[in-house]
Amino acid sequence: MTLETTLVRGISLIYGLYLLLPIALLLLGSFGGNWTNTLLPTGITGQWYVDLWLDTSFRKAFVSSLVVAMSACAINTVLALPLAYALYHGARRGGSLAARLVSATPVAVPPITMAFGYMIVFNTDLAPWLGSMPLLIAAHAILTLPYLTNTLLTDLRHLDLGRLEQAAATLGASGWQQFTGIVMPSLRQSLISGLVMVAAISVGEFGVSNLLTSFQNRTYPVVLLQAFYGATGFACAATVILLVLASASALLSSSLVKQRA
């Protein structure tokens, strides 16, 4: 084993520990009986998960998060498919600026900036919708739309559907028939994997939800923050549930992408 190989493995091990250590501590804390002024929790208990299940505010927040995530997925399905298709053809004709803007939006426009914009616009007498569920759903849909659009756009470039569309056009197929008969079936798997990613992002999103939600429509991450002001074990158990949900969504999305590849 060379020195270079040893160095690479050592750095990989340190990086892996850096990523996994917080998760391991959360798992320990969720099953620990007491964790106050000690390096690690003392005792073993499953009572925190029972308390979490019995807490109506967390159950209601969990349902609210699922409603928001599923609604964002439904809206994005309607918007992202034609948007990605239009960007794909626009880029082929040399107009790739719009596609680049969509790709850069998640980095260029932080969620907190978008949330402040919503607060200014929808906290007026003309549009007093701050704290309503429809506004929260709309914000999550806009926030996650670039992720799904980029996934579909990447798949469109990979599949190179231009030749199939040209062949269909020579047989007399209209633009709508090409879209429904060639494009939509070809993008089915990437659409599903993209929607799973959208759901995972929406469920775990905190900044926008914390600023736009009301007490009745609080999402799971918003309620989770308040749990850390109480018992540590309870907060760790609540965080583990969110982590399991997001991890399952991410694994499902990546497995679908691998099947596609």
Side-chain angles (χ1 to χ4, degrees), residues 85-171:
Y85 189 59
L87 291 173
Y88 170 68
H89 280 285
R92 288 175 60 196
R93 291 192 292 267
S96 60
L97 178 60
R100 291 178 182 176
L101 287 175
V102 171
S103 301
T105 299
V107 178
V109 184
I112 196 73
T113 304
M114 190 180 75
F116 281 127
Y118 274 90
M119 290 178 66
I120 294 172
V121 174
F122 296 105
N123 194 26
T124 62
D125 293 336
L126 292 176
W129 303 325
L130 185 63
S132 65
M133 180 61 87
L135 180 62
L136 186 62
I137 291 172
H140 276 240
I142 296 300
L143 176 68
T144 53
L145 180 62
Y147 295 96
L148 180 57
T149 304
N150 285 333
T151 302
L152 297 175
L153 195 56
T154 302
D155 206 19
L156 279 169
R157 290 165 177 161
H158 173 71
L159 293 172
D160 192 17
L161 295 177
R163 288 177 296 177
L164 292 176
E165 290 177 314
Q166 290 176 2
T170 58
L171 296 175

Side-chain angles (χ1 to χ4, degrees), residues 10 14 21 44 71 76 84 87 106-107 110-111 135 143 161 170 178 184 194 206 216 218-220 224 226 235-236 242:
I14 294 172
L21 186 59
I44 298 176
S71 301
N76 280 348
L87 291 173
V107 178
L135 180 62
L143 176 68
L161 295 177
T170 58
Q178 294 172 32
M184 291 182 67
F206 173 76
Q216 291 79 12
R218 291 182 301 173
T219 58
Y220 194 88
L224 177 61
Q226 299 172 6
C236 289
L242 181 63

Side-chain angles (χ1 to χ4, degrees), residues 192-204 242-258:
I192 295 173
S193 64
L195 288 176
V196 173
M197 179 176 61
V198 166
I201 294 173
S202 177
V203 167
L242 181 63
L243 184 62
V244 168
L245 186 62
S247 300
S249 300
L251 289 175
L252 178 59
S253 178
S254 62
S255 65
L256 289 172
V257 171
K258 287 182 180 178

